[in-house]
Amino acid sequence: MPPSGPDNGSEQGSAVVEFTFLSLLLMVPLVYFIITVGQIQAGSFAVVGAADQAAKVFVAQPDAASGRAAAEQAVLLALADHGYEPANARLDTSCQPADCTAAGSAVTATVQLTVPLPFVPFSEALQLNASQLTASATQLVGRFR
């Protein structure tokens, strides 16, 4: 027999409201975490591709100055393909031995990328970053060019 009294229907529908509120409270941080991890993974792909292309382009140039300029352009293009700002990236090149144009020299391109937190206004001013990613790639200067 159902209970009778004046408070019989006063709690009706509150479970739906509580479930909706608690699910939003738990799901919003989870979705933000998934988006942030996706941004870091995309940045990882971008930085690896940028380093690889920079090293390949560098060894194809006739001198070190044009090699560095071409490598910087390759990094900017690779990062732009993945939607990252050029201001968040840095390229360092090194040669072993010091002559970058000698046959058999190993040219290493290292790209560093700062991945900002998604949906955070003024993230540049607040220095809020999701991750700092680094990738290196090495190419040998060919004997025949």
Side-chain angles (χ1 to χ4, degrees), residues 50-124:
D52 187 44
Q53 291 302 315
K56 287 178 182 178
V57 168
F58 191 101
V59 299
Q61 301 303 313
D63 58 11
S66 63
R68 282 187 180 83
E72 288 175 4
Q73 286 298 105
V75 167
L76 295 179
L77 184 62
L79 293 178
D81 284 345
H82 290 276
Y84 288 99
E85 296 291 323
N88 294 341
R90 195 176 94 214
L91 170 68
D92 295 321
T93 56
S94 63
C95 301
Q96 193 63 278
D99 184 15
C100 293
T101 58
S105 295
V107 176
T108 301
T110 303
V111 178
Q112 294 179 345
L113 177 67
T114 302
V115 178
L117 282 172
F119 311 121
V120 175
F122 311 113
S123 63
E124 301 89 25

Side-chain angles (χ1 to χ4, degrees), residues 16-33:
V16 173
V17 173
E18 290 172 2
F19 176 76
T20 304
F21 176 73
L22 287 177
S23 64
L24 283 176
L25 189 65
L26 295 175
M27 292 300 286
V28 169
L30 180 64
V31 169
Y32 188 78
F33 175 74

